[in-house]
Amino acid sequence: MRSTTSIPATLLLALTLLPPPSAGAAAATCQGMPTTPTQVDDSGRITGTEGNDVIVSAGAERVRALGGDDVVCVTGFAPEPFIDAGPGNDVVDATTVPHGAWTVLGPGADEYDGSTALDVVHAGASLPEIADVETDDIDTGDSGADIVVSGQPGLPNADRIMMGHGRLDWYGIGTQAGLVDGGAGSELRLDASESQSLVLDNIVDTAVVDGQLILAFTGFSRFHVTAHRGPRSFVFRGSDYADELSMDIYRAPRGATQDVTLGRGNDRLVLRAWRPSAATTYDAGAGRHDAIELVLTDQREADLDLRRGRLSTRVRSHEVTIAVPGFEQAKVMAEHVKVTGTDRANTILVHACRARVDARGGVDQVRWVGRFKREELMCLGRRAHFLGGNGRDFIWGSPGPDRLIGGSDEDLARGRRGHDVCEAEKTNKCEVRL
């Protein structure tokens, strides 16, 4: 990606006028150029000048290049070196650092080459008070689970981003000059706050906000949509491969619609901070092991019927029922949870104060689990009533007094700390066996 033609001519001229190093002293170089004078404080932190600098970090934990068109080579063994490139058309080369780097590119047309470890690169959104609309060329390398934050809300974003694997937080409006390749299995994050509509299509690899194309992409299979307020309409189309869609919708407008079709792969849908309208459909598509995960800490009741493809939630007296066809696996968190399985194999995990699961037919796994997605319910007590149904079932109870009932086949029921009543061919930690 990088070539010496990107180095400003004024910087090259200045470098030719520098005195040669003293005899016996090997001058540090960055991309073949000798370093320029910088300030180094007692803790080893490096500060450049407001002019054009060539800097080698040499294990420094922090580098501030300041203004000018700077070239920074990140080297040495600092565990998490932080590079603030500052304003200007800067070049940051982290290809040789073993532990990765944290970098803020700042305003200007910048270039970044990443390491084989974790790279975190901020290119615009970290400086909301300063417009950064120049094109940044970012290549995080083929290894490591990297994180890139690109662009600013409402502004043109022409960044060119190549990732081997990782997460991209995208802001702004993409241009024809831009390029976004996430690599295999990467995650794309979008903030849909204040927008009226969002169409995210992983078949044609585009994101459209309020009728305007904001991003064309390749390589992503995981998507995370956040909206503190909005959108009024959301559409997602999954591919024929395994997709994952996570949604944090905090304050959806009244009457907002969500139309999600996950496609043919074994997909996952994760819903958090969520209050849908009745005009909402989450279709798992044609996959055989599709999973729905509900983190509904503000919902008093959640009733998920996998057999009928229906989800009902209630907050106080407000109840909503929506369509959720095609899911075989479920993980549900709410104060009171009820889950009904299908006649096929189901995996059902719950975190609740009160939980009732009827797994029905098939070889099922039913389990009460601790907190997930860093969330946990505060309950005065916990209680579960789990029914395995026909088929060989594996049932694990809650920390409270449970009733764990298998079925006609060879089942395993396992209680926990409470006074548990179990009916199964094999039991463990059950105080009463039926």
Side-chain angles (χ1 to χ4, degrees):
M1 173 182 293
R2 178 172 299 117
S3 66
T4 56
T5 57
S6 63
I7 308 304
T10 55
L11 176 57
L12 293 176
L13 177 60
L15 294 175
T16 61
L17 300 178
L18 289 174
S22 59
T29 62
C30 175
Q31 296 193 351
M33 296 175 293
T35 59
T36 55
T38 56
Q39 294 182 356
V40 182
D41 63 18
D42 294 338
S43 62
R45 298 181 177 183
I46 299 174
T47 302
T49 71
E50 294 295 344
N52 302 331
D53 300 311
V54 177
I55 301 172
V56 175
S57 68
E61 294 183 355
R62 184 181 180 94
V63 175
R64 295 181 63 232
L66 301 179
D69 299 336
D70 305 309
V71 182
V72 181
C73 285
V74 189
T75 65
F77 294 92
E80 292 182 350
F82 178 79
I83 312 301
D84 183 356
N89 302 329
D90 304 309
V91 174
V92 178
D93 185 342
T95 55
T96 64
V97 67
H99 302 296
W102 292 59
T103 301
V104 176
L105 293 176
D110 304 307
E111 297 183 32
Y112 182 88
D113 269 356
S115 71
T116 58
L118 169 65
D119 293 295
V120 180
V121 184
H122 287 260
S126 59
L127 298 171
E129 71 279 5
I130 302 176
D132 180 14
V133 295
E134 294 87 357
T135 299
D136 296 320
D137 282 300
I138 300 170
D139 187 343
T140 63
D142 295 332
S143 301
D146 303 310
I147 299 174
V148 176
V149 181
S150 172
Q152 292 173 267
L155 297 179
N157 187 347
D159 289 349
R160 294 190 288 263
I161 301 169
M162 300 287 291
M163 303 175 66
H165 177 70
R167 189 186 92 195
L168 170 62
D169 293 11
W170 177 268
Y171 297 88
I173 303 168
T175 69
Q176 292 184 350
L179 170 68
V180 173
D181 186 345
S186 290
E187 178 181 5
L188 173 63
R189 293 196 170 201
L190 299 173
D191 190 338
S193 298
E194 307 299 334
S195 64
Q196 293 296 311
S197 68
L198 168 62
V199 179
L200 185 54
D201 195 323
N202 200 31
I203 300 175
V204 297
D205 297 335
T206 59
V208 177
V209 172
D210 296 338
Q212 182 177 19
L213 178 68
I214 66 162
L215 180 62
F217 56 82
T218 58
F220 293 96
S221 61
R222 295 182 294 129
F223 302 88
H224 191 122
V225 176
T226 300
H228 292 273
R229 185 173 182 84
R232 185 172 298 277
S233 171
F234 173 62
V235 176
F236 178 84
R237 293 290 176 261
S239 69
D240 289 340
Y241 303 97
D243 298 315
E244 179 177 314
L245 172 64
S246 298
M247 300 171 59
D248 293 337
I249 307 295
Y250 295 93
R251 296 177 60 192
R254 184 179 298 275
T257 63
Q258 298 171 16
D259 181 6
V260 172
T261 303
L262 293 174
R264 297 178 60 86
N266 295 325
D267 307 307
R268 178 178 295 274
L269 174 67
V270 182
L271 304 176
R272 299 180 60 182
W274 168 84
R275 293 185 182 180
S277 68
T280 294
T281 299
Y282 302 124
D283 191 335
R288 297 179 60 87
H289 302 285
D290 298 304
I292 184 169
E293 188 169 311
L294 307 172
V295 189
L296 309 178
T297 55
D298 61 344
Q299 305 284 320
R300 178 170 176 79
E301 295 181 6
D303 184 347
L304 175 63
D305 191 329
L306 298 176
R307 179 171 61 99
R308 296 182 179 180
R310 185 180 65 186
L311 170 65
S312 297
T313 61
R314 184 169 72 87
V315 179
R316 300 183 182 91
S317 61
H318 180 66
E319 183 173 347
V320 175
T321 299
I322 64 171
V324 289
F327 291 96
E328 293 82 26
Q329 302 179 36
K331 191 173 184 179
V332 186
M333 172 188 284
E335 188 174 342
H336 293 174
V337 169
K338 179 181 178 181
V339 181
T340 303
T342 70
D343 291 329
R344 302 183 302 274
N346 301 124
T347 298
I348 300 172
L349 310 178
V350 298
H351 179 82
C353 301
R354 299 289 184 270
R356 180 181 178 88
V357 175
D358 183 357
R360 297 179 58 85
V363 179
D364 304 308
Q365 294 190 41
V366 180
R367 182 195 296 260
W368 188 95
V369 296
R371 66 177 184 173
F372 55 96
K373 297 295 182 183
R374 300 181 182 178
E375 299 281 359
E376 185 173 9
L377 293 169
M378 303 303 296
C379 304
L380 294 178
R382 305 183 191 275
R383 185 185 299 271
H385 188 176
F386 293 158
L387 306 175
N390 295 329
R392 187 183 180 187
D393 304 312
F394 303 86
I395 306 172
W396 288 263
S398 78
D402 303 320
R403 191 173 182 88
L404 311 178
I405 309 299
S408 58
D409 293 283
E410 185 175 347
D411 306 308
L412 168 64
R414 181 173 183 176
R416 298 180 73 177
R417 293 194 299 270
H419 186 82
D420 302 311
V421 178
C422 304
E423 181 180 348
E425 283 69 28
K426 296 181 180 180
T427 62
N428 183 267
K429 296 186 178 180
C430 294
E431 284 68 35
V432 178
R433 292 188 60 180
L434 300 179

